[in-house]
Amino acid sequence: MSTTSLPVPDRSPRLREALLAAAFTADGLLDLLGAPAYAALARSETVPALRATRGDAPLDTLVRLFLLQHPVPYERARAALPLSECVEDGWVTHVGDEVRAAVDVRPYSGPEGQDWYIVSDLGCAVGGAGGIGSREEGVVLGVGGASTTLAGITVRTPVASALDIGTGSGIQALHASQHATRVTATDLNPRALDFTRLTLALSGVAPAELRQGSLYEPVGAETYDLIVSNPPFVISPGARLTYRDGGMGGDDLCRTLVQQTGDRLNEGGYAHFLANWQHVEGEEWQSRLSSWVPYGCDAWIVQREVQDVTQYAELWLRDSGDHRTDPAEYAARYDAWLDEFEARKTKGVGFGWITLRKSAAAAAGNPSVVIEEWPHAVEQPLGPAVEAHFARQDYLREQDDAALLAGHFTLAAEVVQEQVGLPGAEDPEHVVLRQNRGMRRATKVDAVGAGFAGVCDGTLPAGRILDAIAQLMNEDPVLLRDRTPQAIRLLVEEGFLEPVRSES
């Protein structure tokens, strides 16, 4: 994993043509390797892929060269690539009778099936040939689970301008290029900007404006319609590794990034971040994150996972390969992490998503701030669900209880009802509504809630439905109308019910 000079992108269209001609694409890899070997690569296991590429077709050669980082015979490389150009431009090296890759080139499928390529340092494609295991300060990683998560939760409406902070190898800038007229990508590491340039060029998309610097420093007071960042969010003692360690104390980097976003978003614009945050003794983590939300912004923050301080330290010590060093050195580094957490009274670390949206309602003093824990499976891409969440918040802010009862609703697509109780019992103990799309939420409802949701098809106002339910259940319709709006509000907020918008 050297930090030598990188390839030049000038003739990348010729290389791209060769890769496509050989079917060196995400679909081509799956066809060649088969599902088991393809999945094994994501676990950093290369033996199945090596066995599957023992042929001499160009695709076998390219997989071994760029994905598995094995040397290939010169003649085989020449049959698969415009080899003299690739050597001259620095994509590969030629020594004796062998050709070796100078960078990791990984096929990546775009959201509409585009054939893209992510270029990163050798061995630094997450889940790649060698895993990460690097303690080199300036390495640039390829695509991994965090990258694809951020890409999936991003709202993809067409925008004039997008900003990717901490671009790394350029995955988020690549996605943004499909729906933003102008893309700006920044990184503290100049090598990352070079890799982003390679990723965009080899993927055949328009170049981005590349700027070096930390957080918002490179863009000054410029504003954007979309901001995305998979920042170096790891809470660590020091800033040893640029690609992951924030370099500020505790979770200050993530806090600073979020708090400074309000001044950089245009009205209606979205910002999406992955982040870590401390769980501090004597402090509610929700209160901590609420204080991060900038003025003028709505927020939806989802905590996906919490680790205790020992789990967290071990995860990132393994990430950098410290567990394979001298035991005394490993123990000293582990001890330093625990010292840091103890000094900050940190008992755990949360990981999740932070989405901000600039809105007039928030600027007027009525922000929607939802902070929740949801460690369960979701259906990606979530971008449409994120956009729908904020649309529902807008609707609910405008509706008092009377307006809610006058409103019309439909049951969201693919919501099912489950009845839970003892076998043979005449009536269920409770009813659960469950989503099979998006966040895949589940919520308990009473008989009124189940009946209400079941007949919501948009034809009758909510109040009329409740009157009918009251008559069937021999309840006072006035009391039922008084106590039900809060339950309806929750079902709308969580996406089980969708308001029918008037066309006037």
Side-chain angles (χ1 to χ4, degrees):
M1 233 166 301
S2 67
T3 54
T4 56
S5 60
L6 298 178
V8 294
D10 300 356
R11 290 185 285 191
S12 56
R14 285 260 295 154
L15 174 56
R16 176 176 170 80
E17 288 175 10
L19 300 181
L20 292 175
F24 186 63
T25 63
D27 289 341
L29 289 183
L30 185 57
D31 290 341
L32 173 67
L33 302 179
Y38 191 80
L41 277 179
R43 303 190 300 270
S44 299
E45 297 291 347
T46 60
V47 172
L50 285 168
R51 290 173 60 86
T53 55
R54 289 180 291 196
D56 57 3
L59 182 54
D60 297 291
T61 301
L62 293 173
V63 171
R64 284 186 167 241
L65 180 65
F66 286 121
L67 234 62
L68 305 180
Q69 278 115 53
H70 274 243
V72 299
Y74 176 84
E75 290 301 326
R76 285 184 56 180
R78 191 170 68 167
L81 295 167
L83 189 54
S84 60
E85 289 181 9
C86 288
V87 172
E88 186 177 339
D89 292 347
W91 293 95
V92 298
T93 60
H94 174 210
V95 179
D97 294 330
E98 290 184 339
V99 173
R100 293 178 178 268
V103 291
D104 184 297
V105 176
R106 196 153 298 252
Y108 180 70
S109 183
E112 296 178 1
Q114 301 98 324
D115 290 316
W116 290 341
Y117 297 95
I118 309 300
V119 188
S120 64
D121 269 313
L122 290 174
C124 283
V126 180
I132 304 174
S134 170
R135 296 193 293 165
E136 289 194 34
E137 195 270 344
V139 299
V140 177
L141 304 188
V143 66
S147 304
T148 55
T149 293
L150 180 58
I153 67 174
T154 300
V155 173
R156 296 295 177 192
T157 52
V159 295
S161 57
L163 172 64
D164 175 16
I165 300 173
T167 187
S169 52
I171 299 103
Q172 308 308 323
L174 185 56
H175 278 275
S177 71
Q178 302 303 288
H179 63 105
T181 303
R182 176 174 63 92
V183 178
T184 302
T186 71
D187 206 289
L188 183 63
N189 182 0
R191 282 173 53 77
L193 300 178
D194 290 336
F195 273 114
T196 293
R197 185 179 291 108
L198 294 171
T199 289
L200 298 179
L202 194 56
S203 297
V205 305
E209 182 180 358
L210 305 176
R211 302 188 194 179
Q212 184 183 353
S214 177
L215 301 182
Y216 288 107
E217 176 192 21
V219 299
E222 294 178 37
T223 60
Y224 298 85
D225 302 311
L226 173 68
I227 299 172
V228 294
S229 182
N230 177 16
F233 53 66
V234 177
I235 299 171
S236 60
R240 193 161 53 116
L241 302 174
T242 301
Y243 72 84
R244 71 169 206 194
D245 298 329
M248 297 184 186
D251 52 17
D252 282 357
L253 182 133
C254 291
R255 176 186 58 79
T256 301
L257 175 62
V258 173
Q259 288 181 335
Q260 291 182 353
T261 297
D263 294 334
R264 271 60 176 214
L265 269 182
N266 293 327
E267 178 72 21
Y270 285 91
H272 303 274
F273 308 116
L274 300 186
N276 276 183
W277 44 79
Q278 297 171 125
H279 283 231
V280 178
E281 186 178 338
E283 177 186 31
E284 292 291 333
W285 67 270
Q286 295 94 334
S287 298
R288 184 180 192 85
L289 289 174
S290 179
S291 72
W292 292 9
V293 178
Y295 170 78
C297 288
D298 301 316
W300 184 20
I301 301 174
V302 182
Q303 180 168 274
R304 297 287 289 159
E305 182 182 2
V306 181
Q307 291 185 323
D308 67 48
V309 293
T310 60
Q311 291 174 310
Y312 189 80
E314 291 162 13
L315 169 67
W316 295 108
L317 286 166
R318 287 194 302 271
D319 170 80
S320 55
D322 286 297
H323 62 305
R324 294 193 291 266
T325 63
D326 175 70
E329 182 182 346
Y330 173 78
R333 289 197 183 279
Y334 197 153
D335 210 33
W337 283 71
L338 297 185
D339 283 344
E340 176 81 3
F341 287 133
E342 184 177 344
R344 295 182 176 277
K345 298 182 179 180
T346 301
K347 59 184 180 180
V349 178
F351 167 82
W353 318 324
I354 297 176
T355 297
L356 305 176
R357 185 192 59 163
K358 193 76 169 284
S359 79
N366 187 23
S368 164
V369 178
V370 177
I371 302 174
E372 61 177 321
E373 187 165 18
W374 189 253
H376 311 293
V378 300
E379 182 191 50
Q380 286 276 33
L382 270 172
V386 172
E387 188 175 15
H389 164 88
F390 285 98
R392 293 193 300 269
Q393 296 300 317
D394 288 343
Y395 171 82
L396 291 172
R397 274 189 292 212
E398 298 167 356
Q399 310 297 313
D400 59 16
D401 286 356
L404 209 61
L405 291 174
H408 295 241
F409 302 92
T410 58
L411 192 65
E414 298 196 35
V415 172
V416 297
Q417 175 180 300
E418 300 174 358
Q419 295 185 341
V420 181
L422 293 173
E426 185 174 344
D427 296 313
E429 293 179 15
H430 58 263
V431 175
V432 173
L433 298 181
R434 187 178 301 278
Q435 302 168 352
N436 286 318
R437 303 295 301 272
M439 291 292 285
R440 294 179 172 168
R441 297 185 188 277
T443 188
K444 286 184 184 180
V445 292
D446 60 13
V448 172
F452 180 86
V455 298
C456 277
D457 61 4
T459 57
L460 292 175
R464 289 272 302 279
I465 294 173
L466 289 177
D467 291 344
I469 291 174
Q471 186 174 3
L472 286 172
M473 300 180 69
N474 295 316
E475 289 205 31
D476 184 328
V478 175
L479 293 178
L480 191 60
R481 278 175 172 254
D482 284 345
R483 76 168 195 257
T484 306
Q486 186 56 37
I488 296 174
R489 195 173 294 276
L490 182 62
L491 290 174
V492 172
E493 181 175 329
E494 294 191 341
F496 292 94
L497 295 178
E498 296 178 349
V500 178
R501 311 281 181 166
S502 66
E503 297 187 8
S504 59

